[in-house]
Amino acid sequence: MSNIRTLGEFIIEKQYDYPHASGELSSLLSSIRLAAKVVNCEINKAGLGNITGSVNKENVQGEIQQKLDVYANEKFKAAMAARDQVCGVASEEEDHEVIFDSELGRNAKYVILMDPLDGSSNIDVNVSVGTIFSIYQRLSPLGEAANIHDFLQPGHKQVAAGYVIYGSSTMLVYTTGNGVHGFTYDPSIGTFCLSHENMRTPQEGNIYSINEGNYIKFPQGIKKYIKYCQENNPEEGRPYTSRYIGSLVSDFHRNLLKGGLYLYPSTAAYPLGKLRLLYECNPMAFIIEQAGGKASDGTKRILDIVPSELHQRVPFFIGSTQMVIKVESFLKEYPDPFS
Ligand code: AHM
Ligand code: MG
């Protein structure tokens, strides 16, 4: 028991690495921890009662909302609103940014962007889902209400990012730009405990993760890359293994630990890709870079993209550095979009 380091203790310890830290970010991370526990509790009950299935409503992106999407969104939003550190929230489940225009909100330093329940179409079949979050310092002056420009910042300006994976065990993984740290939830004591300090991802991997059912709609470079992954070349460790859960957090988490590449390219159906830059791609890109990996839109670094819209989509390639470089080289060699 004496060796256990809880997430709460770890956050405070890390705060001392920054002599001028005010403790506000620590406090914000603590509220994320609390909301994660609440959502975890409900997800564990999925299948019981009437909490799975859809709410017969689409979000602004035309996707059917699941009951647990709405639940997770409300819980995370409420946890943020209850603290003094957040001046606004943007979420996959909200059409527009939500500004906390109270005295406290106007004087709060941070905005948070989140996907409250990523991969939620998997929830009814007991497959792992997750929460993704991204935190920035506001650009607008303290004392005023936050505005859209506080949310439309490039990913390299993030001060913290992380995800919660509700899996065979529940984990919270986060970075504040000083390494990536993972905590496993112990339900018997209701606490996240440090289990993966300073996570590093392998430079090379042998797992590729893509929805291959869309093959016919992929750009030429992606089709060629998939064939490359499947070629028999034992010296180079090919054929690679194909693993695709359809839940970004789960696919990302496995590849982070084992080495691999997650791909969601542009397709004929989604010319800009499917995944959202601000609350899916940027936080994962910050984490992977902190773990020694790489994230790209096929030609450039995800974290350098200057966003123009809250729900902007982007093609996404993330994982082991050498694998990302390889897929970029295929896209360069075969630039024709679709054929
Ligand atoms: P969501 O946020 O609506 O759940 O959508 C994002 C999810 C990712 O978790 C997953 O990797 C991807 O969409 C799966 O898409 P597809 O079913 O097209 O393969
Ligand atoms: Mg999502």
Side-chain angles (χ1 to χ4, degrees), residues 56-67:
N56 294 322
K57 187 172 170 275
E58 286 184 354
N59 63 19
V60 69
Q61 299 158 76
E63 296 160 342
I64 299 287
Q65 285 182 308
Q66 305 294 310
K67 287 178 191 163

Side-chain angles (χ1 to χ4, degrees), residues 294 296 298-300 324-332:
K294 188 170 162 74
S296 163
T299 57
K300 58 185 174 305
V324 177
I325 290 172
K326 183 55 100 178
V327 76
E328 282 180 333
S329 74
F330 272 89
L331 286 165
K332 195 167 175 192

Side-chain angles (χ1 to χ4, degrees), residues 92 115 118 276 280:
E92 181 176 324
D115 182 351
D118 182 64
R276 274 60 48 123
E280 291 177 321

